[in-house]
Amino acid sequence: MKPIESFELPSPSKVNYLNAVYGLKSWLLTKDHKRIALLYLGSITFFFFIGGIYALMIRLELLTPSGDFLESTTYNKVFTQHGIIMIFFFLIPSIPATLGNFLIPMMIGAKDLAFPRINLLSWYVYLAGGIITIYALLAGGVDTGWTFYTPFSTTFSNSYVVATGLGIFINGFSSILTGLNFIVTIHTMRAPGMTWFRMPLFCWSHYATSLIMILGTPVIAITVLLLAFERVSGVGIFNPKLGGDPVLFQHMFWFYSHPAVYIMVLPGMGVISELIANFSRKNIFGYSFVAFSSIAIAVFGFLVWGHHMFVTPQSVYAGMIFSFLSFAVAIPSAIKVFNWTATLYKSSISYDTPMLYALGFIGLFTIGGMTGLFLASLATDVHLSDTYFVVAHFHYIMVGGALMAYLGGLHYWWPKMTGRMYPEGWGRFGALVVFVGFNLTFLPQFIAGYIGMPRRYHAYPPEFQVYNVLSTAGASILGFGMLIPAVYFVWSMRYGKHAEANPWHLPGLEWRTQSPPPTENFEQTPIVTWDAYEFAPPEETEVVGKFHGEVERAS
Amino acid sequence: MIESHAATPEIHGHPALQHHFENMEQQREAGTLGMWIFLVTEIMFFGGMFLAYTLYRNLFPAGFVLASNHLDITLGAVNTGVLILSSFTMAMAVYFTQTGKLRPQVWCLVLTLILGLTFLGIKAVEYHEKYTDRLIPGRIIPGAHFGPDPHAFHLQAGAPELAQIEMFYWIYFAMTGMHALHMVIGAGLLTYLIIFSLKRRFDPEYHSPVEVIGLYWHFVDIVWIFLFPLLYLLGRHLGGH
Ligand code: HEM
Ligand SMILES: [Cu+2]
C-alpha cells in the first residue's frame, strides 16, 4: 500500500475537461460525464430557483391567518407546483445527476460512465420533461397536490393535470437511465484493485439509490400514464363508475413515492459518509455496516408504502404490518447515524464548510427520522396526518438532510469540479445562516401541526399565527442563506484561488488527479492498493482493512 | 469531439471499441448487463398493469369471463405462434452473428421483422373488430363511445356486468397497446440491425447489439405469452364460445 504522502500527484497541466474543447456545441453534444454533470447542475439550479419562488409565495400567504395574498385556488396551485418542481426536478436528480455523475467514474478509476451517450440522453429527457412541466405551469398550472390523488385529479380538477403528468412521466426516464448507467458502471468499470469493499461509501449509496430508481420509477411512470389516459377517456381503473378503486392509485403512487424519499436521501447519506470520514481523518466506523445499510434501505423501503395510507380504508391488519415495517426500516438509517457519530469519536475534526453541513445533516436528519416514527405509529398518525407536522417531518429530511448534504458535497468537490476554491469564511457563515434559518422555518411547524394546523389551506385560525410568523421569518433567513453560496460560487469560478489537485489532503482516487481533471480523468488507469479512507499508519490498517490484498478483475 | 486528445494509442483496436472501455469483453459485458437492467424496469412497468388486472379479475370474475370470451381466440392463438416463431428466428440471428455467417444472419433478422409486422397486422385487425363492436372504453375515440350491444354478451341492457366488461377492455387495451408499442420499437431496432448487418458492422468479436436487441425481443414475446392466456382464455374450460 502507498501512504498518501508518497503518492505522486500528476504534474499540473493546462488542459482539462473544461478547456479541452470550446463552444456551445462541445457542451450540448458532450459525452463527458463531468460536463454532463455541470449541465445538470445548471438546470437543477434553475428549477430550484423556480421552486424557491413558489415557497416564498406560500410563506407570504401564511404570514397572516386570512387568505389575503392568494386565492384558495391559486394557493392550491402554488403548493402543488412547489412540490412537483422541488421533488421531481430538483431533489431527485440533485446529488445523483451532478455529484454522482461527476464522481462515480472518478472514484472507481474509470474514464467515464458505461454509457456516455445514454448519460447525455438522460439530460435531454430531463429537459424535455422540465419544459413540458413549465409549459403546464405557464398555461394555467396544476392544483392536485404533488400526490395527484384520484378521483380529484382524474375527474374534478380543472387544471393541467395531463400536461404535468406527461412532464413527470418523461422526466422519470432520465432517472431510470441514470440509475441504469450507475449500476452498470459500478459493476463493470472499476479499475484494477478497486474491489467492492474498497469503494468509497458514496458509490455504495448511489448503487442503492440506482436500485430504487430502476425498480420504482417505472411504476410511477405507468401510474401517471394510466391516470392521464383515464382523465382523457373519462373511465379507467381508478374510476368508481366501472367499479374501479381510487385508493388503488394511492397504493401505486406510494409504492414509488415512499422509495423515492430514499432516492432523495440516500445519495445525501453517501455524501455525509465521505465528509465525516474525510474531515475527521479517520476510517469510517463499521464500513461494511454503512455500506449494507444503504442496500437494506433500498430493499425495505419498498415494503412500507402503506404508512401514507393509514387514514384510508386500508385494512387495519395491513396498517399494523406497514407500521411495524416502517419502524424496521428506520434501523438501517439509525445504523448510519450511529456509525457517523462513532467515527467522530476521538478523531481530529476540521470544521471546514462541508463538515459544518455534514454535522448539520446528522442532527436534522435524526429529527426528521424520529418524527417519521411518530407518523409511523398508527394511533398518533390519525392525529398528525395531513397536518403541518407531516410538512415539518419531510422538510427536516429533504431540506435539513438531503439539501444540506448536497450543499456540503458541492463545497467539498467544488475545487475538483471547477479548479477554484470558494471563500472559506463566507462558506462557514453561509452554512450557519442556512442552519439557523432552516430550524426557525420548520421547528415551529412541528408545534403548529401537533396542535392541529392542517396542511394545504391558505387560511387558518388566528391562534396558529405566531408559529407561521416565526416560520416565515425563518424562511427569509433561509432564503438569504442560500443566496450566499449562490453568489460566491459564481464569483469563485472567475476570481477564486486556484485549487491544487488535492486541497484537502485526502486519499480518495478523485483527489489523485489534477483539478479540474483531464477529459479521461486519469493519465493512466490507476491500480488501487488501498482502502477508502485509509488514513491510519500502514501497520494498523493491516488489521483493520480485512479486504486488503484482494484484487479483483485486474484485466 | 472530446475524445480527441486521448493520449494513449489504441493497442487492441477493434473499430467498435469505445474509448472508455479497456477491451471488447468489458464493453460487451456492460451492454448485456445494461439491457438486463432495462428489462427489469420493463417488468416493473408492465407490473403496474398486471396488478390492476389481478385486482379487477378477482373482483369481477363474471364480467371478465364474458368480456374475454368475446375476444377472437383464433387470431390471438395465431399471433402467439407468430411471436414464438419470431423468437426462434431472432435466436438464430444471434447464433449466426456469433459464428460469423452473414447471409443467414441477415435472413433471420428479416424473417423476425416480417413476423413482428405480421403480429402487428393481426393485432390491427382485432382492434378494428373491437372498434366496430363499440368496445373501445370511455370516450377515447370521439364519436365512438363505449356501447356494445348487450345481447352480444347475453346480457340485458343496463346489466351491471357491462361496467365490468368496460373495465376489462380498458385493461385489455392498456396492456396490449403497450405491448404493441414495444413491438413497434422492436421493429425499428430490427431495421437498424438489418442495415448495419448489411454494412458488415458485426462480426464474431463484436455482436453485442444483435445479442442485446435479441434480449429485448424475447422479453416482448414473453410479455405476450403472459397476456394471451390472461386475456383470451378466461373461463374457456367452462364452455364459452
Ligand atoms: C428518510 C427520508 C424520508 C423522507 C424523505 C420522508 C419524506 C416524507 C414525505 C414527503 C411525506 C409526506 C407525504 C405526503 O403526505 O404528502 C412523509 C410522510 C410520512 N413519513 Fe416520511 N420520510 C422519510 C423518512 C421517514 C421515516 C424513516 C419514516 C418512518 C419510519 C417516515 C414515515 C412517514 C410517514 C408515516 C408519513 C405519513 C404521514 C401522513 O401523511 O400521515 N418517513 N415522509
Ligand atoms: Cu413514506
Side-chain angles (χ1 to χ4, degrees):
Chain A
M1 104 196 36
K2 272 189 182 163
I4 307 143
E5 289 73 27
S6 73
F7 197 93
E8 246 175 75
L9 287 170
S11 51
S13 147
K14 289 267 177 292
V15 184
N16 59 54
Y17 80 101
L18 290 170
N19 63 15
V21 271
Y22 283 105
L24 189 63
K25 210 175 129 205
S26 78
W27 281 90
L28 294 182
L29 295 180
T30 184
K31 281 178 268 158
D32 182 354
H33 65 105
K34 300 182 287 302
R35 286 186 162 213
I36 297 171
L38 293 193
L39 292 176
Y40 262 117
L41 179 64
S43 24
I44 65 168
T45 308
F46 170 74
F47 279 101
F48 183 61
F49 188 72
I50 299 185
I53 292 176
Y54 286 126
L56 192 76
M57 290 165 76
I58 296 175
R59 283 322 317 163
L60 274 180
E61 169 56 59
L62 295 180
L63 191 56
T64 57
S66 59
D68 36 20
F69 173 54
L70 301 172
E71 285 184 24
S72 55
T73 46
T74 320
Y75 183 76
N76 290 349
K77 289 182 180 170
V78 166
F79 74 70
T80 300
Q81 289 159 191
H82 167 70
I84 288 173
I85 298 273
M86 286 300 202
I87 289 176
F88 294 109
F89 294 95
F90 172 69
L91 208 49
I92 287 181
S94 63
I95 296 180
T98 56
L99 300 176
N101 224 336
F102 195 98
L103 290 157
I104 286 176
M106 304 201 63
M107 284 180 163
I108 62 172
K111 293 198 188 87
D112 206 319
L113 289 174
F115 307 117
R117 257 176 299 183
I118 288 185
N119 196 17
L120 180 63
L121 177 67
S122 89
W123 182 68
Y124 279 105
V125 170
Y126 167 84
L127 267 198
I131 288 170
I132 293 176
T133 305
I134 293 211
Y135 154 76
L137 305 191
L138 294 179
V142 57
D143 65 353
T144 57
W146 78 281
T147 44
F148 292 100
Y149 275 11
T150 52
F152 182 69
S153 57
T154 42
T155 313
F156 301 107
S157 168
N158 274 322
S159 60
Y160 286 73
V161 178
V162 173
T164 317
L166 191 67
I168 291 174
F169 174 80
I170 293 178
N171 177 46
F173 287 96
S174 88
S175 205
I176 290 175
L177 295 177
T178 303
L180 187 151
N181 223 336
F182 284 175
I183 293 185
V184 175
T185 304
I186 291 174
H187 270 282
T188 61
M189 307 282 286
R190 283 170 289 121
M194 176 54 80
T195 61
W196 281 83
F197 291 97
R198 278 185 186 155
M199 283 198 307
L201 289 163
F202 183 85
C203 299
W204 276 95
S205 75
H206 273 79
Y207 187 85
T209 309
S210 306
L211 286 180
I212 306 178
M213 284 172 164
I214 61 158
L215 292 174
T217 318
V219 178
I220 191 74
I222 187 68
T223 307
V224 173
L225 197 64
L226 293 175
L227 180 133
F229 271 113
E230 178 155 341
R231 202 176 149 84
V232 174
S233 74
V235 291
I237 60 169
F238 308 126
N239 194 320
K241 231 188 329 191
L242 305 189
D245 185 356
V247 177
L248 175 63
F249 173 82
Q250 295 188 28
H251 279 290
M252 291 172 72
F253 178 84
W254 288 114
F255 180 84
Y256 163 76
S257 292
H258 180 81
V261 307
Y262 291 112
I263 294 183
M264 296 180 244
V265 83
L266 267 170
M269 291 168 155
V271 171
I272 299 306
S273 297
E274 297 300 307
L275 296 181
I276 295 291
N278 285 325
F279 284 87
S280 53
R281 318 224 138 244
K282 202 169 145 208
N283 193 353
I284 192 117
F285 181 84
Y287 173 97
S288 47
F289 273 84
V290 182
F292 282 120
S293 64
S294 295
I295 308 292
I297 287 176
V299 174
F300 291 111
F302 275 104
L303 306 177
V304 301
W305 76 89
H307 67 211
H308 295 271
M309 301 170 60
F310 286 156
V311 295
T312 65
Q314 174 177 259
S315 122
V316 274
Y317 299 105
M320 278 151 69
I321 291 168
F322 280 126
S323 172
F324 170 76
L325 289 171
S326 302
F327 275 81
V329 81
I331 295 172
S333 305
I335 289 177
K336 286 188 194 287
V337 172
F338 287 131
N339 285 24
W340 292 327
T341 319
T343 309
L344 295 175
Y345 181 64
K346 284 198 174 163
S347 65
S348 43
I349 302 175
S350 43
Y351 294 95
D352 296 305
T353 311
M355 188 59 163
L356 294 185
Y357 281 110
L359 295 172
F361 176 102
I362 296 184
L364 301 177
F365 173 74
T366 304
I367 296 177
M370 298 289 273
T371 50
L373 297 181
F374 292 36
L375 297 169
S377 314
L378 283 166
T380 34
D381 183 62
V382 174
H383 174 60
L384 295 173
S385 186
D386 288 323
T387 68
Y388 257 84
F389 193 90
V390 177
V391 176
H393 154 68
F394 63 73
H395 281 89
Y396 260 77
I397 291 172
M398 291 157 128
V399 180
L403 183 66
M404 296 281 178
Y406 174 61
L407 286 174
L410 211 52
H411 283 84
Y412 173 49
W413 283 294
W414 191 255
K416 184 56 66 185
M417 295 169 80
T418 64
R420 303 283 184 154
M421 301 302 289
Y422 62 87
E424 184 58 40
W426 282 104
R428 291 183 201 184
F429 176 66
L432 287 179
V433 176
V434 166
F435 184 81
V436 171
F438 171 80
N439 281 293
L440 190 58
T441 312
F442 291 106
L443 208 54
Q445 295 185 1
F446 276 127
I447 305 170
Y450 188 79
I451 60 178
M453 177 168 165
R455 61 194 283 207
R456 293 180 168 173
Y457 287 93
H458 75 145
Y460 54 84
E463 54 267 42
F464 298 125
Q465 188 175 15
V466 53
Y467 306 105
N468 282 289
V469 171
L470 286 175
S471 187
T472 301
S476 323
I477 299 176
L478 180 58
F480 172 68
M482 300 279 193
L483 285 181
I484 301 174
V487 170
Y488 65 67
F489 274 147
V490 174
W491 173 88
S492 77
M493 283 195 267
R494 226 192 144 115
Y495 304 105
K497 214 169 73 194
H498 280 277
E500 317 156 26
N502 190 357
W504 311 108
H505 307 289
L506 296 173
L509 256 187
E510 77 269 32
W511 302 111
R512 303 190 189 212
T513 184
Q514 66 184 44
S515 305
T519 300
E520 62 278 14
N521 295 343
F522 301 95
E523 279 168 11
Q524 294 155 346
T525 304
I527 296 175
V528 183
T529 54
W530 59 88
D531 289 346
Y533 325 114
E534 197 170 292
F535 290 100
E539 316 83 76
E540 285 175 33
T541 327
E542 282 304 337
V543 187
V544 180
K546 60 176 166 176
F547 299 102
H548 232 271
E550 183 188 311
V551 178
E552 228 185 81
R553 36 169 317 115
S555 54
Chain B
M1 310 144 272
I2 304 134
E3 293 91 293
S4 52
H5 71 238
T8 41
E10 291 297 346
I11 344 162
H12 29 237
H14 194 284
L17 180 65
Q18 293 172 30
H19 81 286
H20 60 294
F21 289 114
E22 296 289 328
N23 50 45
M24 293 304 282
E25 172 62 16
Q26 190 189 27
Q27 176 170 331
R28 202 184 59 84
E29 217 176 275
T32 315
L33 181 61
M35 182 46 87
W36 277 109
I37 291 172
F38 177 72
L39 296 183
V40 170
T41 73
E42 290 277 32
I43 290 175
M44 297 307 288
F45 188 79
F46 278 96
M49 290 182 287
F50 277 103
L51 171 73
Y53 171 88
T54 312
L55 182 68
Y56 293 119
R57 180 181 163 181
N58 277 303
L59 286 177
F60 313 132
F64 267 45
V65 168
L66 287 176
S68 165
N69 288 356
H70 201 75
L71 289 175
D72 193 326
I73 194 169
T74 319
L75 291 184
V78 169
N79 252 350
T80 309
V82 167
L83 276 196
I84 291 177
L85 199 59
S86 84
S87 251
F88 173 72
T89 52
M90 187 72 227
M92 291 315 286
V94 175
Y95 168 76
F96 287 128
T97 324
Q98 285 167 346
T99 47
K101 301 203 173 80
L102 180 69
R103 248 166 185 287
Q105 178 219 352
V106 174
W107 275 116
C108 281
L109 289 174
V110 171
L111 264 179
T112 313
L113 180 60
I114 292 174
L115 288 167
L117 294 177
T118 311
F119 175 92
L120 285 171
I122 294 180
K123 201 78 223 148
V125 172
E126 280 192 79
Y127 278 1
H128 187 258
E129 272 177 16
K130 299 298 159 292
Y131 168 75
T132 42
D133 291 349
R134 298 194 49 198
L135 282 167
I136 313 262
R139 47 178 152 79
I140 300 181
I141 298 187
H145 294 186
F146 185 84
D149 175 11
H151 302 293
F153 294 95
H154 312 289
L155 293 172
Q156 302 299 319
E161 282 87 357
L162 284 171
Q164 305 179 357
I165 290 172
E166 190 171 0
M167 179 65 96
F168 176 90
Y169 276 101
W170 212 88
I171 293 174
Y172 166 82
F173 278 107
M175 295 183 101
T176 58
M178 202 46 81
H179 176 261
L181 180 66
H182 280 77
M183 294 287 299
V184 172
I185 295 171
L189 293 173
L190 281 171
T191 315
Y192 151 83
L193 282 186
I194 292 168
I195 294 173
F196 278 76
S197 297
L198 290 173
K199 289 188 181 171
R200 298 178 179 265
R201 287 294 163 79
F202 308 122
D203 55 47
E205 226 187 305
Y206 175 61
H207 51 256
S208 57
V210 187
E211 214 172 284
V212 159
I213 292 173
L215 281 175
Y216 172 85
W217 191 261
H218 296 315
F219 170 81
V220 178
D221 287 0
I222 288 172
V223 171
W224 180 259
I225 301 293
F226 280 90
L227 289 183
F228 176 62
L230 289 181
L231 295 170
Y232 287 75
L233 301 186
L234 294 192
R236 295 281 177 184
H237 59 291
L238 303 175
H241 31 204

